[in-house]
PDB file of all heavy atoms in Angstrom:
ATOM      1  N   TRP A 300     202.639 220.362  85.217  1.00 97.00           N
ATOM      2  CA  TRP A 300     203.778 221.221  84.938  1.00 97.00           C
ATOM      3  C   TRP A 300     203.590 222.603  85.551  1.00 97.00           C
ATOM      4  O   TRP A 300     202.473 223.081  85.734  1.00 97.00           O
ATOM      5  CB  TRP A 300     203.990 221.357  83.430  1.00 97.00           C
ATOM      6  CG  TRP A 300     202.714 221.553  82.655  1.00 97.00           C
ATOM      7  CD1 TRP A 300     202.049 222.719  82.432  1.00 97.00           C
ATOM      8  CD2 TRP A 300     201.939 220.528  82.034  1.00 97.00           C
ATOM      9  NE1 TRP A 300     200.915 222.500  81.697  1.00 97.00           N
ATOM     10  CE2 TRP A 300     200.815 221.155  81.430  1.00 97.00           C
ATOM     11  CE3 TRP A 300     202.083 219.135  81.912  1.00 97.00           C
ATOM     12  CZ2 TRP A 300     199.853 220.442  80.732  1.00 97.00           C
ATOM     13  CZ3 TRP A 300     201.116 218.437  81.213  1.00 97.00           C
ATOM     14  CH2 TRP A 300     200.023 219.094  80.630  1.00 97.00           C
ATOM     15  N   GLN A 301     204.707 223.206  85.895  1.00 97.00           N
ATOM     16  CA  GLN A 301     204.748 224.608  86.304  1.00 97.00           C
ATOM     17  C   GLN A 301     205.595 225.334  85.267  1.00 97.00           C
ATOM     18  O   GLN A 301     206.740 224.957  85.017  1.00 97.00           O
ATOM     19  CB  GLN A 301     205.367 224.759  87.692  1.00 97.00           C
ATOM     20  CG  GLN A 301     205.438 226.214  88.167  1.00 97.00           C
ATOM     21  CD  GLN A 301     206.072 226.339  89.538  1.00 97.00           C
ATOM     22  OE1 GLN A 301     206.311 225.351  90.227  1.00 97.00           O
ATOM     23  NE2 GLN A 301     206.362 227.552  89.951  1.00 97.00           N
ATOM     24  N   VAL A 302     205.043 226.343  84.625  1.00 98.00           N
ATOM     25  CA  VAL A 302     205.721 227.000  83.516  1.00 98.00           C
ATOM     26  C   VAL A 302     205.944 228.482  83.815  1.00 98.00           C
ATOM     27  O   VAL A 302     205.112 229.140  84.435  1.00 98.00           O
ATOM     28  CB  VAL A 302     204.932 226.854  82.202  1.00 98.00           C
ATOM     29  CG1 VAL A 302     204.923 225.408  81.742  1.00 98.00           C
ATOM     30  CG2 VAL A 302     203.498 227.359  82.360  1.00 98.00           C
ATOM     31  N   SER A 303     207.094 228.985  83.347  1.00 97.00           N
ATOM     32  CA  SER A 303     207.371 230.416  83.433  1.00 97.00           C
ATOM     33  C   SER A 303     208.546 230.751  82.530  1.00 97.00           C
ATOM     34  O   SER A 303     209.484 229.956  82.384  1.00 97.00           O
ATOM     35  CB  SER A 303     207.694 230.842  84.872  1.00 97.00           C
ATOM     36  OG  SER A 303     208.870 230.212  85.336  1.00 97.00           O
ATOM     37  N   GLY A 304     208.483 231.925  81.893  1.00 96.00           N
ATOM     38  CA  GLY A 304     209.613 232.480  81.173  1.00 96.00           C
ATOM     39  C   GLY A 304     210.013 231.792  79.891  1.00 96.00           C
ATOM     40  O   GLY A 304     211.072 232.086  79.338  1.00 96.00           O
ATOM     41  N   ASN A 305     209.206 230.855  79.389  1.00 97.00           N
ATOM     42  CA  ASN A 305     209.572 230.121  78.180  1.00 97.00           C
ATOM     43  C   ASN A 305     209.227 230.921  76.921  1.00 97.00           C
ATOM     44  O   ASN A 305     208.309 231.744  76.930  1.00 97.00           O
ATOM     45  CB  ASN A 305     208.859 228.772  78.138  1.00 97.00           C
ATOM     46  CG  ASN A 305     209.176 227.916  79.354  1.00 97.00           C
ATOM     47  OD1 ASN A 305     210.282 227.417  79.499  1.00 97.00           O
ATOM     48  ND2 ASN A 305     208.193 227.752  80.237  1.00 97.00           N
ATOM     49  N   ILE A 306     209.943 230.666  75.830  1.00 97.00           N
ATOM     50  CA  ILE A 306     209.648 231.268  74.531  1.00 97.00           C
ATOM     51  C   ILE A 306     209.258 230.161  73.559  1.00 97.00           C
ATOM     52  O   ILE A 306     209.959 229.142  73.441  1.00 97.00           O
ATOM     53  CB  ILE A 306     210.854 232.050  73.998  1.00 97.00           C
ATOM     54  CG1 ILE A 306     211.074 233.320  74.828  1.00 97.00           C
ATOM     55  CG2 ILE A 306     210.670 232.415  72.522  1.00 97.00           C
ATOM     56  CD1 ILE A 306     212.279 234.135  74.400  1.00 97.00           C
ATOM     57  N   PHE A 307     208.117 230.361  72.877  1.00 98.00           N
ATOM     58  CA  PHE A 307     207.609 229.401  71.900  1.00 98.00           C
ATOM     59  C   PHE A 307     207.640 230.076  70.525  1.00 98.00           C
ATOM     60  O   PHE A 307     206.793 230.916  70.227  1.00 98.00           O
ATOM     61  CB  PHE A 307     206.199 228.962  72.265  1.00 98.00           C
ATOM     62  CG  PHE A 307     206.100 228.369  73.653  1.00 98.00           C
ATOM     63  CD1 PHE A 307     205.763 229.163  74.742  1.00 98.00           C
ATOM     64  CD2 PHE A 307     206.359 227.032  73.878  1.00 98.00           C
ATOM     65  CE1 PHE A 307     205.674 228.636  76.027  1.00 98.00           C
ATOM     66  CE2 PHE A 307     206.272 226.488  75.153  1.00 98.00           C
ATOM     67  CZ  PHE A 307     205.929 227.284  76.229  1.00 98.00           C
ATOM     68  N   ASP A 308     208.620 229.716  69.703  1.00 97.00           N
ATOM     69  CA  ASP A 308     208.839 230.347  68.408  1.00 97.00           C
ATOM     70  C   ASP A 308     208.489 229.348  67.311  1.00 97.00           C
ATOM     71  O   ASP A 308     209.175 228.335  67.131  1.00 97.00           O
ATOM     72  CB  ASP A 308     210.310 230.785  68.300  1.00 97.00           C
ATOM     73  CG  ASP A 308     210.635 231.428  66.958  1.00 97.00           C
ATOM     74  OD1 ASP A 308     209.701 231.730  66.189  1.00 97.00           O
ATOM     75  OD2 ASP A 308     211.830 231.627  66.692  1.00 97.00           O
TER      76      ASP A 308
END
Side-chain angles (χ1 to χ4, degrees):
W300 43 84
Q301 180 181 351
V302 292
S303 63
N305 302 289
I306 290 178
F307 303 93
D308 179 11

